Amino acid sequence: MKFFLAVIACAALAVSASAQGRGMAIPVRPQQQSFDTSAGQVKITPLYHASVLIEIPGATIYIDPAKPVVFDNLPTAQAILITDVHSDHMDADAIYEIGNAGARGTRVVAPAAVLKDPKVAKMIEENTSGAKALANGETAVVDNRNGWSIEAVPMYNIDHKMPSGEPYHPKGRGNGYILTFGDKRFYFSGDTEGIPEMRALKNIDVAFVCMNMPYTMTPEEAADAVKAFHPKVVIPYHYQGSDPQIFAKALEGTGIEVRLLDWYSDKYKK
């Protein structure tokens, strides 16, 4: 009976994915954010902490899918982007949950350090159609059918370090990402401080920016960095232990739209 139910569930997911690819409306989800682009609408849903679901016509993209998110009622992934090796970003079990093997299955994009993890490598081999390593500054088009590309950008610590003196996130190990879809650019910072490379970003329409001490930066530091590259919309995420209201207050009068979402609700949490 369990096998029979599993087959039915898999078939339903396949039908749903196929239907979405043919242009059916993307499902409405809690706190889902919608953005119009020249290539169609992009819908982005906060799942938990750093885990994000991006849905565009014909494609489902996850960034840092990880526990405690429950993926039972969420779609399979066309692409999975992972920023770093820490467990709130890299979760091999999540790849198993949302991955799809086969020639046109799930593609994983991640820094080399992530792909070297034995458990992650095994899950990618068994449950996806493969992985591509991206280093800071490299760009990839994951699927030409959907017209979106990704660029890996630096994320690292400068001032905030472990008691040993080592940075929590050394330069070059992890990736932030810029996703371009149509005429819009979406930036996901990953775990970083307000580094020069962030401050020098250009033409960002929507930015997802982290803040939590001691691992990344304070809300005030995050706001100062955001003022430098001035996205049209900014959404704080990965802010456990920080007050995003402080961040929003610091950006008043800048012309930057701040959207505050609850990244720690129980909606998708185990």
Side-chain angles (χ1 to χ4, degrees):
M1 177 62 75
K2 288 182 178 178
F3 174 77
F4 180 68
L5 292 175
V7 170
I8 291 176
C10 290
L13 284 172
V15 169
S16 176
S18 175
Q20 185 169 319
R22 292 194 303 268
M24 286 187 67
I26 295 168
V28 175
R29 306 185 191 281
Q31 299 191 90
Q32 186 181 69
Q33 305 297 297
S34 296
F35 303 96
D36 291 326
T37 80
S38 61
Q41 197 167 64
V42 175
K43 296 195 175 185
I44 303 179
T45 301
L47 298 179
Y48 193 86
H49 187 55
S51 298
V52 186
L53 169 62
I54 304 170
E55 294 171 285
I56 60 180
T60 299
I61 306 152
Y62 289 86
I63 297 181
D64 288 341
K67 299 178 184 68
V69 176
V70 177
F71 297 97
D72 294 351
N73 296 314
L74 293 172
T76 54
Q78 182 184 28
I80 298 171
L81 278 56
I82 302 173
T83 61
D84 200 15
V85 299
H86 294 154
S87 61
D88 54 339
H89 303 274
M90 180 184 78
D91 183 356
D93 294 332
I95 296 173
Y96 172 80
E97 293 286 340
I98 59 177
N100 178 31
R104 301 183 76 80
T106 304
R107 296 287 293 175
V108 177
V109 176
V114 168
L115 300 182
K116 289 177 182 177
D117 180 89
K119 188 175 180 181
V120 167
K122 185 174 186 292
M123 288 296 182
I124 289 172
E125 181 180 2
E126 295 178 354
N127 299 284
T128 76
S129 60
K132 181 175 181 61
L134 277 193
N136 295 169
E138 293 183 336
T139 301
V141 176
V142 177
D143 193 329
N144 289 315
R145 292 172 299 171
N146 297 301
W148 63 276
S149 65
I150 62 171
E151 177 187 355
V153 295
M155 49 149 277
Y156 59 93
N157 290 106
I158 299 174
D159 298 318
H160 304 308
K161 300 178 181 180
M162 295 182 283
S164 66
E166 295 295 315
Y168 288 100
H169 307 90
K171 187 174 183 178
R173 186 186 70 192
N175 291 334
Y177 292 108
I178 297 173
L179 278 67
T180 301
F181 186 67
D183 59 348
K184 295 294 190 295
R185 285 160 51 85
F186 300 83
Y187 168 60
F188 297 84
S189 72
D191 283 5
T192 188
E193 294 181 35
I195 56 177
E197 295 91 337
M198 177 194 286
R199 301 176 72 89
L201 292 172
K202 303 294 184 184
N203 303 317
I204 299 298
D205 294 286
V206 183
F208 290 76
V209 176
C210 66
M211 58 198 74
N212 71 322
M213 291 296 291
Y215 309 106
T216 60
M217 52 185 164
T218 67
E220 294 90 344
E221 290 169 338
D224 184 66
V226 168
K227 289 176 185 177
F229 71 92
H230 211 279
K232 293 182 175 68
V233 178
V234 65
I235 299 174
Y237 80 144
H238 194 291
Y239 59 75
Q240 195 164 39
S242 296
D243 184 354
Q245 294 283 355
I246 296 173
F247 172 79
K249 182 72 174 176
L251 289 175
E252 287 182 357
T254 63
I256 300 170
E257 179 186 350
V258 181
R259 297 188 187 182
L260 299 182
L261 308 177
D262 182 3
W263 290 81
Y264 300 95
S265 76
D266 292 333
K267 178 61 182 177
Y268 297 108
K269 181 181 175 184
K270 287 182 181 177

